[in-house]
Amino acid sequence: MLSNGRKQNRRQECPMLSRHARCGVSIVAAQAALLASSSGVFAQNSPRELPAVTVDAPATLKPKPRRAAVQTAGARRNSTKPTVERSASVAAANEQGAGSARASLDQPPAVARYQLPQRSFSITAKQVDEIVNLKDPEDAVKYMPSLFVRKRNDGDNQAVLATRSWGLNSGARSLIYYDDLLVSALIGNNNSGASPKWNLISPEAIGRVDFLNGPFAAAYPGNSIGGVLLITSKMPDKPFAVAKETVSVMPWNQYGTKDVYITSQTSTAAGNREGKLSWLVSANYLDSHQQPLSYTTNASFPAGTTGGFAALNKTGGVANVVGTGALAHSEQTSGNLRVANDVTPWVQVTYSLGIWNNHQTSDPQTYLKSTATGLPTFGGISSFANSRYTWDQLHMSNAVSLKSDTKGVFDFDLAASSYNYLQDSLVNPFTVVPSPGLGYSLNGKVTRMDGTNWQNADAKGIWRPFGIDGPHEISFGVHGDRYRLENPVYASTVWFNAPGTGNGQLYSTGVGETRTEALWVQDAWKITPIVKLTLGGRLESWQAVEGFNLNTTTTSAGVVTSAVPTWQPGLSSTNFSPKASLSFDPNKDWNVTANFGEAYRYPTVTELYQNISVGGVTYLANPLLSPEQDFTGELNLERRWVNGRVRLTVFSERTNNALISQSTTVTDASGAQSVQTAVSNVAAIRMQGIELSADKDNVLVSGLQVFGSVTYVDSRIVSDPNWKGPTNVVGKRVPFVPDWRAKFGVTYRPNDSWAYTVAARYSGKQYSTLDNSDIIPHVYGAFDNFFVVDLKIHYNATKNFAFDFGIDNLFNEQYFLFHPFPGRTFVLAGKYSF
């Protein structure tokens, strides 16, 4: 047995074995057999790990000094009780040397359990309550270093996470998990239908958010190129309930639209633990009136009209603004149920169910008036019809997991999840009535994604041949996933009253499937008490199958004149990705870590097979894409205090066959303009930079917290022999990667009742074209730099009541990231906990 004086390191678990199954079913029999035969596996009085129980800062605990010890195999076999029994807070304190005064500075539970080599940034629900104007779950990451969420409005269901070196259209280059559920929609890599499914998460159910940088863990697929965001629910250990009402008000004045847009949101959560059973139920209702998400542009002003605004597009072409594009009202309802049961004192099974419903309507506004009548008119511009729609969605997720927490020789983790589009139908008219009318054609389109679905399955194991405090922890696993696209677009006779298949005639369809299977292994080797070497590798086999596209040509009235069906060729690729990390802790205050990871990001099913036009943007498929190969390295230098941390990271990244999308404005014969987006492989790009972040409590005066970060990225196109443009793109900046990102904030807590926060966010110039030709700023379609300041006052009126007042974008900065982004927004919230 271990001597009593031996330091008990933070418990670390690592992902376990899972195998791909078409229906997302994991095989657990082999793991049960391994568990039953493990002589070093013992019960614990109460199960740990799995979702965090509390989000308050753990007590500061000073660990005992580490003392070398040798445990024989015989001693391990003869042990009759767990060698380590300690709380997560103790584990976190031990890992950091002296512990911390804030839970967000402790090592994330997943990092400790799986011996993940990445450096992390964290925020707890308590901090979010105090410093963030939290209207949607993605708001929680607003001030985390280098991260940015492309959130165009409250309740946005197309909010993509941008990371240190990847931009706003890289939904498949980061992984987002809500407990065991993959929130990332790896069905695509765009910032529309492939955006993360944040809406399944009620803000009041969040316990903690952790971000892990880079593709350095063998446990995660190549989609972790940008990083991994782990959102943990606050599973209860006693009865609790909370209800919160949030109202945001945004005055808006841009081009010819002047209005006030109001969003109200109700968020609730409740739960309890009774013996072996714990449960958490959460729900959210949002009623959002949104500022214009796009504008309708035209190459000229229609004859016989006045109004409109002369303007250019991002590359300098004429793009007169003649009205809004999508001007939407959205009502969204979501609910999530999570139930956990202790099968044994050291094994827990968990099931979660999520439902999300959205009813959204858009009715664009024209700025044009008829010179003959003085009445508003569309001027015959057909693209107004793209932004008149009704969109109904009903999505469902399921996730199940079985996890052990023995702190013995072996632990396991089985998880499977699925996501299904039960209903997803958008109807809109095909065109507008001839000028000078203000109406739409009776016929229209029905765009459907019902039947689109995906499944993920993982089985992970961790083997501790020398016990939990031994020099080696070997983790391993298998993974399988399947992503299915069903995306027909039907013609309809009466657009606003069309059945699901319209009149039965197809305008287009995109169908296909991708599948991935993977094996991985990792060894976390404590060479000495202060030096740890982590080596790992991931073997992946990917294929794309059953790809089919039907494309048609039509008259301006919507009559199909030709149809071209195409069965796309199958694709496959098998790749191995090595990982390595070396960590050095000269003392409890300092850490130096070097990381390296190779990763393959495979083309998604929508990049390969989706041809669709929504809201004036047409997405063009490319069925011959190759996987992108990424090499990332970084060096971290970190200084820690009991209530703070500063970290300097130098990083470099090279990506071969980078999958990059480009958007261009297309003008038809009538002058109406639309945007076409296509994806291609760029032979090689390189990104290198530096990130500095700091977070410290009690700066100068008690209760004053200062936090901030600054990131610089030098991104360059190294090679693109397939480029057909008139100018050379080699040496140009990589699209969608800003050169600078910075955040800075201060929070003052004079007592337990009040918290005052001022925070600022800055993003530098970025391009959206390979040749960097989009040089016109502050126009629809441009990608502007911006500087935004936010305020928040948090007040705990009583033990149960809390109130918030905040202002996002205090100085009403007007900027475009393709879409116009929110202006000054006032936020009021009240929360009751009991």
Side-chain angles (χ1 to χ4, degrees):
M1 295 179 59
L2 295 173
S3 62
N4 292 332
R6 182 175 181 177
K7 176 183 175 183
Q8 300 176 349
N9 275 355
R10 176 177 179 131
R11 177 174 55 84
Q12 303 178 352
E13 307 179 337
C14 213
M16 159 186 177
L17 194 126
S18 151
R19 200 178 53 161
H20 169 60
R22 185 178 176 90
C23 295
V25 178
S26 297
I27 296 177
V28 300
Q31 303 307 326
L34 286 172
L35 179 61
S37 63
S38 298
S39 58
V41 178
F42 305 100
Q44 186 185 3
N45 290 336
S46 62
R48 298 298 307 167
E49 182 38 49
L50 295 127
V53 170
T54 180
V55 298
D56 293 327
T60 303
L61 299 174
K62 187 174 182 179
K64 298 178 181 178
R66 178 186 292 273
R67 177 167 72 85
V70 177
Q71 184 184 32
T72 66
R76 290 192 302 274
R77 287 193 300 268
N78 295 331
S79 176
T80 59
K81 62 181 180 179
T83 58
V84 180
E85 293 186 12
R86 57 188 171 170
S87 70
S89 60
V90 176
N94 286 347
E95 183 69 24
Q96 289 201 357
S100 68
R102 276 195 289 117
S104 63
L105 296 174
D106 293 333
Q107 194 180 53
V111 172
R113 175 172 173 85
Y114 303 129
Q115 288 282 332
L116 300 177
Q118 292 111 314
R119 299 293 88 188
S120 62
F121 295 98
S122 306
I123 189 169
T124 65
K126 183 176 185 297
Q127 289 176 283
V128 171
D129 271 349
E130 292 179 345
I131 70 174
V132 179
N133 291 317
L134 186 73
K135 295 167 282 183
D136 298 301
E138 60 266 35
D139 292 330
V141 309
K142 185 182 294 185
Y143 305 124
M144 297 178 76
S146 295
L147 301 185
F148 175 77
V149 177
R150 190 206 74 147
K151 180 185 167 186
R152 305 166 302 171
N153 53 267
D154 294 339
D156 190 3
N157 56 10
Q158 298 182 6
V160 168
L161 177 68
T163 57
R164 183 172 64 191
S165 54
W166 292 102
L168 304 175
N169 65 337
S170 296
R173 291 194 184 97
S174 61
L175 294 169
I176 304 172
Y177 291 91
Y178 179 49
D179 293 327
D180 304 307
L181 177 67
L182 180 64
V183 177
S184 297
L186 301 183
I187 197 167
N189 187 49
N190 56 46
N191 47 22
S192 56
S195 302
K197 304 304 180 183
W198 305 99
N199 314 81
L200 285 171
I201 306 170
S202 173
E204 294 311 305
I206 297 175
R208 179 185 178 102
V209 180
D210 303 293
F211 182 75
L212 316 179
N213 270 316
F216 307 123
Y220 294 114
N223 305 94
S224 62
I225 289 174
V228 182
L229 189 72
L230 304 173
I231 303 173
T232 307
S233 64
K234 44 187 175 187
M235 288 294 285
D237 57 3
K238 59 183 180 180
F240 93 100
V242 60
K244 183 178 181 180
E245 181 69 22
T246 305
V247 176
S248 60
V249 179
M250 180 177 60
W252 183 264
N253 187 0
Q254 191 175 65
Y255 291 120
T257 302
K258 184 176 182 180
D259 209 335
V260 176
Y261 298 101
I262 300 175
T263 296
S264 64
Q265 180 165 258
T266 304
S267 180
T268 63
N272 192 13
R273 181 180 180 92
E274 299 176 357
K276 297 180 179 180
L277 183 69
S278 58
W279 57 272
L280 173 68
V281 61
S282 59
N284 195 70
Y285 172 74
L286 177 138
D287 187 346
S288 175
H289 293 267
Q290 303 161 7
Q291 87 279 4
L293 297 182
S294 59
Y295 287 102
T296 299
T297 61
N298 211 61
S300 62
F301 293 110
T305 66
T306 60
F309 297 82
L312 303 177
N313 63 24
K314 63 184 180 181
T315 59
V318 176
N320 299 314
V321 178
V322 294
T324 71
L327 190 59
H329 172 219
S330 182
E331 293 181 272
Q332 300 179 33
T333 306
S334 63
N336 195 289
L337 170 67
R338 183 172 174 84
V339 180
N341 185 64
D342 301 334
V343 180
T344 74
W346 63 88
V347 176
Q348 187 178 71
V349 61
T350 305
Y351 169 74
S352 66
L353 169 68
I355 297 288
W356 172 67
N357 172 259
N358 177 39
H359 175 72
Q360 185 176 104
T361 58
S362 172
D363 192 4
Q365 172 191 2
T366 180
Y367 301 150
L368 301 175
K369 292 184 178 181
S370 168
T371 54
T373 66
L375 298 176
T377 177
F378 289 142
I381 299 175
S382 60
S383 51
F384 274 107
N386 296 323
S387 299
R388 177 69 171 103
Y389 62 77
T390 300
W391 195 0
D392 286 296
Q393 298 172 282
L394 178 62
H395 295 188
M396 180 177 71
S397 68
N398 287 272
V400 62
S401 68
L402 183 68
K403 299 184 181 183
S404 74
D405 189 16
T406 65
K407 301 182 179 66
V409 173
F410 181 77
D411 270 305
F412 67 85
D413 182 344
L414 307 176
S417 64
S418 68
Y419 193 93
N420 291 273
Y421 289 51
L422 301 181
Q423 178 190 9
D424 199 301
S425 179
L426 183 149
V427 297
N428 64 288
F430 190 88
T431 188
V432 299
V433 297
S435 179
L438 193 62
Y440 301 96
S441 64
L442 195 59
N443 66 309
K445 296 183 291 184
V446 180
T447 302
R448 296 182 57 181
M449 290 191 70
D450 318 51
T452 297
N453 65 88
W454 57 83
Q455 296 83 38
N456 283 266
D458 285 274
K460 308 170 186 177
I462 182 166
W463 179 41
R464 308 179 184 98
F466 303 100
I468 197 170
D469 214 21
H472 289 275
E473 290 196 10
I474 301 170
S475 54
F476 51 91
V478 298
H479 165 84
D481 62 54
R482 168 185 173 269
Y483 288 83
R484 179 74 182 177
L485 172 69
E486 298 280 352
N487 193 192
V489 179
Y490 294 97
S492 64
T493 305
V494 180
W495 75 267
F496 53 84
N497 192 27
T501 56
N503 60 16
Q505 185 175 39
L506 282 168
Y507 279 135
S508 67
T509 191
V511 177
E513 189 170 303
T514 60
R515 306 168 188 167
T516 310
E517 298 175 343
L519 297 170
W520 64 270
V521 66
Q522 172 189 281
D523 182 15
W525 177 22
K526 297 175 186 174
I527 301 174
T528 72
I530 61 173
V531 177
K532 183 170 73 172
L533 175 65
T534 304
L535 298 175
R538 188 178 183 92
L539 179 65
E540 294 172 297
S541 177
W542 169 85
Q543 58 179 328
V545 297
E546 301 178 12
F548 175 76
N549 289 108
L550 174 70
N551 298 314
T552 63
T553 58
T554 66
T555 67
S556 59
V559 177
V560 175
T561 57
S562 67
V564 180
T566 305
W567 284 101
Q568 305 294 0
L571 303 175
S572 64
S573 183
T574 299
N575 308 98
F576 178 75
S577 305
K579 320 280 185 177
S581 175
L582 183 64
S583 179
F584 173 54
D585 291 274
N587 55 50
K588 65 182 179 62
D589 298 326
W590 288 90
N591 171 265
V592 181
T593 298
N595 290 322
F596 168 80
E598 180 182 357
Y600 288 84
R601 206 278 284 179
Y602 297 105
T604 62
V605 67
T606 61
E607 287 173 310
L608 293 168
Y609 306 127
Q610 187 182 55
N611 287 316
I612 189 175
S613 180
V614 176
V617 180
T618 299
Y619 298 92
L620 302 177
N622 185 345
L624 300 176
L625 295 172
S626 300
E628 56 185 15
Q629 179 189 31
D630 185 86
F631 301 91
T632 301
E634 67 174 20
L635 179 65
N636 296 277
L637 177 64
E638 184 175 298
R639 171 68 163 94
R640 297 172 297 216
W641 297 272
V642 69
N643 61 357
R645 172 176 59 194
V646 61
R647 180 186 297 160
L648 177 68
T649 302
V650 180
F651 59 90
S652 180
E653 187 168 356
R654 179 188 171 101
T655 305
N656 298 328
N657 291 321
L659 293 162
I660 296 179
S661 66
Q662 283 208 104
S663 297
T664 57
T665 300
V666 177
T667 304
D668 66 16
S670 68
Q673 295 179 329
S674 61
V675 177
Q676 288 188 354
T677 299
V679 182
S680 62
N681 284 110
V682 176
I685 64 173
R686 184 265 301 153
M687 293 171 284
Q688 55 191 21
I690 187 169
E691 177 186 77
L692 176 65
S693 64
D695 188 352
K696 186 74 166 62
D697 283 344
N698 303 319
V699 178
L700 300 179
V701 298
S702 177
L704 183 66
Q705 177 192 1
V706 177
F707 56 91
S709 65
V710 59
T711 305
Y712 172 74
V713 182
D714 177 27
S715 63
R716 300 293 167 181
I717 298 171
V718 176
S719 174
D720 190 11
N722 294 323
W723 172 253
K724 305 300 183 184
T727 59
N728 188 10
V729 298
V730 173
K732 297 296 179 65
R733 295 252 304 271
V734 175
F736 308 109
V737 181
D739 50 359
W740 290 94
R741 284 194 184 107
K743 302 178 182 182
F744 177 77
V746 293
T747 297
Y748 179 53
R749 302 176 179 88
N751 51 49
D752 291 338
S753 297
W754 293 91
Y756 306 89
T757 299
V758 181
R761 296 169 284 137
Y762 172 79
S763 179
K765 173 62 180 174
Q766 57 185 295
Y767 295 94
S768 61
T769 56
L770 287 169
D771 60 359
N772 295 178
S773 59
D774 49 322
I775 58 175
I776 307 300
H778 306 299
V779 296
Y780 172 54
F783 285 79
D784 295 327
N785 58 338
F786 62 86
F787 178 76
V788 173
V789 177
D790 307 323
L791 303 178
K792 179 168 183 179
I793 300 173
H794 176 73
Y795 174 47
N796 293 316
T798 69
K799 179 181 178 181
N800 304 105
F801 274 108
F803 299 94
D804 295 322
F805 170 73
I807 304 175
D808 284 336
N809 195 354
L810 175 66
F811 299 115
N812 199 30
E813 175 90 345
Q814 291 198 354
Y815 60 101
F816 291 83
L817 296 174
F818 186 87
H819 305 272
F821 265 61
R824 183 186 296 116
T825 305
F826 301 90
V827 183
L828 295 171
K831 181 165 71 172
Y832 182 70
S833 305
F834 51 94

